[in-house]
Amino acid sequence: MSAARTGFWRSNSLTLVFGGAFLVVLAAQAVAGRAEFNEQLAVAGLQQIGFGAYLTSSDFAVDVTENWQSEFLQFFLYVYGTVHLLQRGSPESKPLDRAGTESERDQRMGPHAAPDSPRWASAGGWRQALYSRSLGLVMAVFFLLSWFAQSVAGAAAYDGERLRQLQDPIGWGAYLVSADFWNRSLQNWQSELLAVSAMAVLSVYLRQRGSPESKPVGAPHTSTGVEG
């Protein structure tokens, strides 16, 4: 059935539902985060802040960006890792005989591009090389930008906490090698890597009927690269 016949909302429901849920959860995080932050201020005998002030605070920014960078890192590693790495029996893996970047024919690039293929798929040269790696590159850029934003916001939040405790601020450079920065980063990275590993292995033996992240219910456990 064509997208025109299914309608805009249905044909884009995956993005719209998850995008809407993201905004709802982000708003809920802001409410809960402000309440927790004001509790800390009250314990320290300091004046509490309003909702608008909290939304523009480094404390809110670092909590948001430290999660964003770990998610983009997960997808960057997953996009690049699945080019060469395989998992027998998993729909998250390519078939065992297709490891690597594959041929231009397999990827429908260059002279093998179809009339409706993206323009840069048949362009050749640097444009084709860039477009053929664009998903991973964009994920890498998003990761680096959000990690940088986390470091800046984290340094400001950390120094703000030190000032409230009548301690000298340490600055951004010193914060980059601090335990707080790496604890925030590594605790998110390990959880993302665990989730990817669990999904790759569990999808070998478990099924979710109708999901492209699962093999067909009746597919053998050894079937690799098959989606439901």
Side-chain angles (χ1 to χ4, degrees):
M1 185 179 294
S2 67
R5 293 183 62 185
T6 57
F8 174 81
W9 293 101
R10 182 171 178 80
S11 59
N12 296 279
S13 58
L14 184 61
T15 299
L16 293 171
V17 168
F18 277 91
F22 159 73
L23 294 176
V24 171
V25 174
L26 182 63
Q29 178 190 346
V31 172
R34 172 181 173 258
E36 180 186 19
F37 187 66
N38 277 337
E39 287 179 2
Q40 295 174 355
L41 293 178
V43 170
L46 301 174
Q47 183 178 359
Q48 299 186 2
I49 63 173
F51 190 68
Y54 179 72
L55 288 180
T56 58
S57 70
S58 57
D59 292 85
F60 178 64
V62 69
D63 287 343
V64 171
T65 54
E66 74 172 272
N67 287 287
W68 288 5
Q69 57 89 5
S70 65
E71 296 297 335
F72 287 122
L73 175 65
Q74 177 197 64
F75 283 107
F76 163 68
L77 294 176
Y78 188 72
V79 167
Y80 269 99
T82 51
V83 174
H84 299 282
L85 303 179
L86 304 169
Q87 175 59 56
R88 179 180 176 88
S90 176
E92 302 297 318
S93 167
K94 294 193 297 184
L96 301 181
D97 59 348
R98 293 181 61 186
T101 55
E102 303 180 11
S103 67
E104 289 194 349
R105 180 183 295 275
D106 291 333
Q107 289 291 309
R108 290 181 284 182
M109 296 166 55
H112 306 287
D116 59 350
S117 296
R119 182 178 301 177
W120 281 22
S122 58
W126 68 269
R127 290 181 295 175
Q128 185 189 87
L130 179 63
Y131 186 70
S132 65
R133 297 167 177 81
S134 56
L135 180 59
L137 289 173
V138 168
M139 289 297 175
V141 170
F142 283 170
F143 160 65
L144 292 173
L145 289 177
S146 56
W147 197 24
F148 173 73
Q150 177 203 333
S151 72
V152 174
Y158 188 74
D159 282 347
E161 178 64 24
R162 288 179 64 87
L163 288 172
R164 288 192 290 272
Q165 297 176 359
L166 303 180
Q167 297 177 323
D168 293 332
I170 64 172
W172 181 68
Y175 182 73
L176 288 181
V177 295
S178 70
D180 184 81
F181 175 66
W182 285 102
N183 179 56
R184 284 179 176 272
S185 298
L186 293 172
Q187 69 179 335
N188 284 283
W189 294 359
Q190 55 86 13
S191 65
E192 300 301 337
L193 294 171
L194 174 63
V196 171
S197 301
M199 183 63 182
V201 173
L202 293 178
S203 60
V204 175
Y205 304 102
L206 306 180
R207 307 288 189 269
Q208 182 59 54
R209 181 174 179 175
S211 174
E213 301 303 315
S214 166
K215 293 185 290 188
V217 176
H221 292 326
T222 55
S223 297
T224 306
V226 178
E227 297 180 346

